[in-house]
Amino acid sequence: MIGTEDGMKEQEYERRLTERKEQIEAFLQSYLPQTAYPQKTLLEAMRYSVENGGKRLRPILMLESYLLFDGAEDKLPTLVAPFCAAIEMIHSYSLVHDDLPAMDNDQYRRGKLTTHAAFGEAMGILAGDGLLNFAFETALLAAGEPEDDARVLRALGVLARKAGAFGMIGGQTVDVELTGKALTAEQLEFIYRLKTGALLEASLMVGAILAGADSAQVEAVEQIAADVGMAFQIRDDILDEVGNEELLGKPVHSDEKNQKTTYAVLFGLEAARQEVRRLSERAKETLRGLGGESAFLEWLFDWLVSREY
């Protein structure tokens, strides 16, 4: 049973999570493209892809990382908000392309038609392309203040690498090539670290960089995010095996349908659960070593790796 004090903290953190999500939604609405142009269908598909719900995990982590390193709150709207919007656009584009017939061929995500199912396959491809490019247009809006521009440039470098061939796209490539084949633990870890972990790493690293964290601190949050990303993906594997389809908003057993080796398949459900706990505890221990107020981030890590959707 949760004690009164713990229950109050839980409510406080849930409120803070809701507030952060609302803040991110406001950021997104201020940066998503308007649609009154000849390429209206493309712009509508881009908006649809981003507005189709989601946890807004990556921009929330970016925002919290920025505050962890005492980033100035008055710069949130001009310095951090463009990057928060950009990371969510990149994440959304990756889901749009992941759902395509050539990839996972999913018709539903979060209980709604996927972008290609709603707008057609060609427009799904173009919407993903548009979001990736528009993400960097948006992130560049953070530049303009001489005292911040070096941080913005460094953050852009991280964002580009973690989203590209040595990050998320690299992980997706190996995942596609090895689908239907027996994977080793090392191959699976490589895919998870890049495909899922890279954008989580970018989120914490960009927040820290924009706040002025030093290189050692940025490396520490990269490792924290790598552990959380791995735990997050393994939890996804578990949910694909035993999750509630209505809560998830997508079909369960999709990995089995697509002949994908997962951590839960390779090692079993109990070993998967143990690894989630080990990785999340290590992430929290590293986080505490950085100093600063980290209680909400620790709670958020726990929530992510024990979620039911």
Side-chain angles (χ1 to χ4, degrees), residues 117-128:
F119 291 86
E121 184 178 354
M123 201 55 63
I125 294 169
L126 291 170

Side-chain angles (χ1 to χ4, degrees), residues 16-36:
R16 183 166 171 177
L17 181 60
T18 299
E19 289 169 359
R20 287 292 185 238
K21 188 173 179 182
E22 290 172 353
Q23 192 173 12
I24 296 304
E25 296 293 349
F27 290 164
L28 286 168
Q29 288 304 318
S30 67
Y31 289 110
L32 282 171
Q34 298 304 307
T35 59

Side-chain angles (χ1 to χ4, degrees), residues 169-187:
I169 295 174
Q172 177 77 347
T173 299
V174 177
D175 187 31
V176 168
E177 288 184 329
L178 296 180
T179 293
K181 300 177 182 178
L183 303 187
T184 66
E186 290 76 15
Q187 288 171 323

Side-chain angles (χ1 to χ4, degrees), residues 131-144:
L131 282 170
L132 177 59
N133 284 277
F134 198 68
F136 286 97
E137 288 183 51
T138 302
L140 277 165
L141 295 175

Side-chain angles (χ1 to χ4, degrees), residues 85-201:
I87 196 81
E88 194 65 6
M89 291 174 192
I90 292 171
H91 173 57
S92 296
Y93 118 77
S94 75
L95 299 181
V96 171
H97 281 186
D98 206 34
D99 291 333
L100 286 168
M103 299 287 192
D104 289 348
N105 195 24
D106 283 327
Q107 297 294 303
Y108 289 92
R109 181 173 289 278
R110 302 168 187 143
K112 293 176 65 177
L113 286 172
T114 54
T115 303
H116 77 85
F119 291 86
E121 184 178 354
M123 201 55 63
I125 294 169
L126 291 170
D129 293 344
L131 282 170
L132 177 59
N133 284 277
F134 198 68
F136 286 97
E137 288 183 51
T138 302
L140 277 165
L141 295 175
E145 295 294 331
E147 67 272 19
D148 295 327
D149 281 355
R151 295 177 184 180
V152 169
L153 184 60
R154 187 176 170 207
L156 280 166
V158 168
L159 189 62
R161 186 171 180 85
K162 294 295 185 181
F166 293 93
M168 180 186 65
I169 295 174
Q172 177 77 347
T173 299
V174 177
D175 187 31
V176 168
E177 288 184 329
L178 296 180
T179 293
K181 300 177 182 178
L183 303 187
T184 66
E186 290 76 15
Q187 288 171 323
L188 194 62
E189 182 176 348
F190 178 88
I191 292 168
Y192 285 6
R193 173 71 190 266
L194 272 66
K195 183 180 175 182
T196 301
L199 287 191
L200 295 177
E201 292 166 18

